[in-house]
């Protein structure tokens, strides 16, 4: 059929791989602003940016924990041309710890980052194979006040975007020995009730009993609800650390809910863990970000015993939450001035260069199009002013200035005027700044 043939002809040979997306303007401008807002907050709190490689030795990421899906199922790993087994990073915490061990910076080392991560997941809304994060990590400071500073920074960031529905979940996994005792108790509990556990959770139980607590399956709900609680296993130090974190958050007026089932998907956590929930997405994708303490990770990468804590926030998921709440819209992509030149294009070349040198944004048409077509381009550009150079203006050394927006046209929208070319830049600079 004709329609079908047309549709087929329109399908390009190459498209993005599943779970990977092109971010086009104006959405890309929103991404830039997102990172800018985060960077301002982080820099303002004494964090410096680390730019890490996209690719590391696979072993770096294996330290995240071999009981996690991220390591066992989702890694983009391959052997490079030099025979090294490498992987695209699935997250940045392990890379930051590797960098710490490699460069031995002074502590506390307070850093922030942004960039793409790769996980071979089943793509759906808010879950991609390439996704972006912003995050912070602090290495070398074991102080519950730092946990509070970090959690508060994430909280402030969501506020800065305008999000109102984000909630904070908090938990502590205790000392490694507390956690180990808890895992053993959980395992015994679930094994004693194996007949009531879903088939999927039976598999999870063999790999990581903690992750069974994450099960969203209705048939597991009753058993998970009655499972032993981590708080029963806290050492005195772990309990004191957790109490101090809660007191700090209360002092800052940050509301939180203690969720003893918050175990998170990565294995390196101990003591504080936390998650920011968006409140608008499906529960499996509702975590906008999360983090916690990972005091043993640096050591497992060959460094000295070093305290560590941080978080990462998902850029795409957070922007979906912004859409759902109707905040942090994409900025309008507008230039200040659009130059229309029907004399061949050299005038537009010069005027746009001069305007840009003055710090104004300027665009123009190419290919010597008709006046009508160039004016359409001017309208589409969202410019405040069109500058028009035709052969009359070129001969007379003048330019026509046409305000394109009502607020720029005191004499009425679309009312244009002619000024000497020598006054043009000064006029526009004054009008636009
Ligand atoms: P995570 O919980 O694996 O933690 O990821 C943090 C955030 O990244 C998630 O809450 C989510 O918003 C986003 N995210 C994760 N996977 C995907 C995906 N497939 N598609 C879209 N967004 C995704 C970490 O990555 C830890 N490194 C956080 C951390 C830092 N812990 C301590 N320091």
């Amino acid at each position: 059929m004709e329609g079908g043939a047309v549709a087929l002809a329109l399908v390009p040979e190459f498209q993005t791989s599943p779970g990977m997306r092109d971010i086009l303007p104006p959405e890309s401008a929103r991404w830039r602003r997102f990172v800018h807002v985060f960077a301002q907050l982080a820099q303002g709190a004494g964090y410096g940016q680390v730019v890490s490689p996209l690719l590391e030795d696979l072993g770096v990421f294996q330290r995240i924990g071999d009981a996690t899906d991220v390591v066992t199922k989702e890694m983009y790993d391959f052997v490079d041309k030099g025979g090294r087994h490498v992987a695209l990073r699935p997250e940045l915490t392990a890379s930051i710890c590797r960098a710490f061990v490699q460069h031995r910076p002074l502590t506390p080392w307070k850093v922030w980052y942004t960039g793409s991560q790769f996980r071979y997941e089943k793509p759906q809304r808010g879950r991609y194979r390439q996704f972006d994060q912003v995050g912070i990590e602090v290495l070398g400071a074991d102080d519950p006040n730092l946990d509070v500073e970090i959690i508060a920074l994430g909280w402030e960031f969501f506020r800065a975007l305008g999000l109102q529905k984000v909630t904070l979940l908090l938990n502590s996994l205790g000392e490694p020995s507390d956690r180990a005792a808890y895992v053993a108790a959980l395992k015994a509990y679930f094994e004693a009730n194996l007949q009531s556990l879903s088939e999927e959770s039976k598999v999870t139980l063999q790999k990581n009993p903690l992750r069974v607590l994450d099960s969203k399956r209705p048939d597991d709900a009753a058993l998970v609800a009655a499972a032993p609680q981590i708080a029963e296993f806290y050492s005195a130090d772990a309990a004191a650390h957790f109490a101090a974190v809660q007191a700090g958050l209360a002092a800052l007026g940050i509301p939180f809910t203690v969720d003893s089932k918050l175990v998170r998907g990565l294995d390196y956590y101990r003591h504080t863990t936390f998650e920011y929930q968006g409140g608008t997405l499906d529960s499996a994708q509702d975590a906008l970000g999360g983090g916690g303490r990972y005091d043993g990770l640096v050591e497992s990468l060959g460094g000295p015993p070093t305290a560590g804590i941080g978080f990462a926030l998902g850029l795409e998921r957070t922007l979906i939450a912004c859409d759902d709440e109707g905040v942090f819209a994409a900025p309008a992509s507008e230039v200040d001035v659009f130059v229309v030149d029907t004399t061949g294009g050299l005038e537009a070349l010069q005027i746009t260069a001069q305007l840009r040198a003055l710090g104004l944004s300027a665009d123009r048409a190419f290919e010597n199009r008709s006046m009508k077509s160039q004016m359409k381009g001017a309208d589409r550009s969202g410019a405040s002013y069109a500058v028009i150079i035709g052969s009359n203006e070129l001969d007379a050394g003048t330019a026509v200035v046409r305000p394109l927006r009502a607020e720029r046209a005191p004499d009425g929208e679309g009312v244009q005027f002619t000024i000497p070319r020598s006054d043009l830049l000064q006029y526009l600079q004054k009008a636009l700044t």
Side-chain angles (χ1 to χ4, degrees):
M1 275 174 33
E2 206 178 306
V6 169
L8 262 185
L10 286 176
V11 175
E13 184 181 354
F14 297 113
Q15 301 198 29
T16 45
S17 296
M20 304 204 171
R21 305 176 315 146
D22 296 312
I23 308 301
L24 307 178
E27 182 66 4
S28 51
R30 195 185 185 205
W31 278 45
R32 248 196 348 266
R33 248 180 58 196
F34 184 100
V35 175
H36 177 73
V37 172
F38 187 79
Q40 294 282 98
L41 259 176
Q43 297 279 154
Y47 293 71
Q49 184 179 7
V50 173
V51 180
S52 304
L54 284 180
L55 195 101
E56 300 257 8
D57 194 296
L58 175 67
V60 171
F61 303 123
Q62 281 170 332
R63 302 302 191 280
I64 294 170
D66 49 18
T68 64
D69 286 352
V70 170
V71 171
T72 55
K73 292 194 201 152
E74 298 167 2
M75 201 80 83
Y76 276 88
D77 65 310
F78 60 96
V79 176
D80 74 7
K81 290 185 169 54
R84 294 174 202 89
H85 199 164
V86 293
L88 292 179
R89 64 188 188 203
E91 57 116 54
L92 265 158
T93 310
S95 297
I96 296 291
C97 290
R98 192 268 311 138
F100 179 82
V101 175
Q102 186 173 339
H103 304 290
R104 299 290 164 104
L106 289 177
T107 57
W109 198 42
K110 298 175 73 174
V111 300
W112 71 274
Y113 52 76
T114 180
S116 297
Q117 322 298 331
F118 301 85
R119 298 183 192 176
Y120 197 84
E121 300 207 64
K122 193 163 167 244
Q124 51 201 292
R125 185 175 187 244
R127 191 173 290 278
Y128 311 102
R129 290 183 177 166
Q130 176 174 343
F131 59 95
D132 270 53
Q133 290 182 336
V134 293
I136 58 181
E137 314 287 349
V138 179
L139 293 172
D142 181 11
D143 181 336
N145 279 328
L146 176 59
D147 305 29
V148 177
E149 167 173 310
I150 285 183
I151 297 170
L153 271 172
W155 183 259
E156 277 169 43
F157 176 62
F158 292 120
R159 285 283 168 276
L161 296 181
L163 288 167
Q164 298 292 327
K165 291 191 182 152
V166 176
T167 54
L168 171 62
L169 301 182
L170 188 69
N171 193 18
S172 168
L173 296 174
E175 309 269 358
S177 53
D178 307 344
R179 181 181 156 145
Y182 179 53
V183 169
L186 264 186
K187 190 159 187 279
Y189 165 79
F190 284 124
E191 277 174 354
N193 295 284
L194 216 51
Q195 71 289 350
S196 316
L197 209 57
S198 67
E199 288 308 314
E200 293 87 343
S201 288
K202 279 181 195 155
V203 176
T204 311
L205 179 62
Q206 289 319 309
K207 290 194 288 187
N208 186 351
L210 273 181
R211 301 286 298 160
V212 178
L213 295 177
D214 250 1
S215 167
K216 306 274 186 307
R217 293 180 194 87
D219 30 339
D220 291 333
L223 207 56
V224 167
Q229 302 271 319
I230 178 74
E232 299 158 25
F233 296 81
Y234 290 153
S235 63
D237 280 356
H241 186 105
F242 194 30
V245 172
Q246 295 182 57
L249 288 172
L252 291 183
I254 296 177
F256 60 90
T257 306
V258 173
D259 177 355
S260 61
K261 303 215 161 32
L262 182 71
V263 294
R264 311 245 323 115
L266 305 165
D267 265 356
Y268 47 55
Y269 292 113
R270 51 184 70 172
H271 288 288
T272 313
T273 56
F274 54 96
E275 214 161 82
Y276 305 98
Q277 301 269 335
T280 66
L281 285 101
D282 290 350
S283 63
Q285 273 74 246
D286 200 34
L288 304 187
R293 278 209 167 266
Y294 47 85
D295 297 343
L297 190 55
V298 167
E299 221 176 330
S300 78
L301 284 157
T306 307
I309 178 166
F311 66 64
L313 313 178
L315 193 149
E316 292 87 347
R317 276 192 207 173
T318 305
L319 287 180
I320 292 175
C322 288
D323 289 340
D324 291 348
E325 284 202 37
V327 297
F328 200 69
S333 55
E334 288 157 357
V335 291
D336 295 320
V337 181
F338 192 97
V339 183
V340 171
D341 174 4
T342 57
T343 69
L346 200 55
E347 300 306 306
L349 194 65
Q350 288 177 321
I351 295 172
T352 49
Q354 288 160 347
L355 288 168
R356 291 170 193 162
L358 289 175
L360 299 175
S361 55
D363 200 0
R364 55 163 295 180
F366 290 98
E367 300 180 325
N368 206 15
R369 298 273 168 114
S370 68
M371 166 75 88
K372 196 172 159 206
S373 156
Q374 293 195 41
M375 281 311 298
K376 264 196 199 150
D379 283 335
R380 262 202 311 270
S381 75
S384 298
Y385 293 96
V387 167
I388 304 164
I389 310 284
S391 49
N392 290 344
E393 287 75 28
L394 186 60
D395 292 346
T398 59
V400 171
V401 175
R402 182 188 291 192
L404 295 176
R405 300 217 225 129
E407 71 273 17
R408 299 282 182 196
D411 300 333
E413 209 173 334
V415 176
Q416 60 189 40
F417 52 92
T418 301
I419 60 172
R421 181 76 178 269
S422 52
D423 294 345
L424 178 67
L425 295 179
Q426 204 184 8
Y427 175 83
L428 289 171
Q429 191 177 29
K430 197 155 168 241
L432 284 161
T433 49

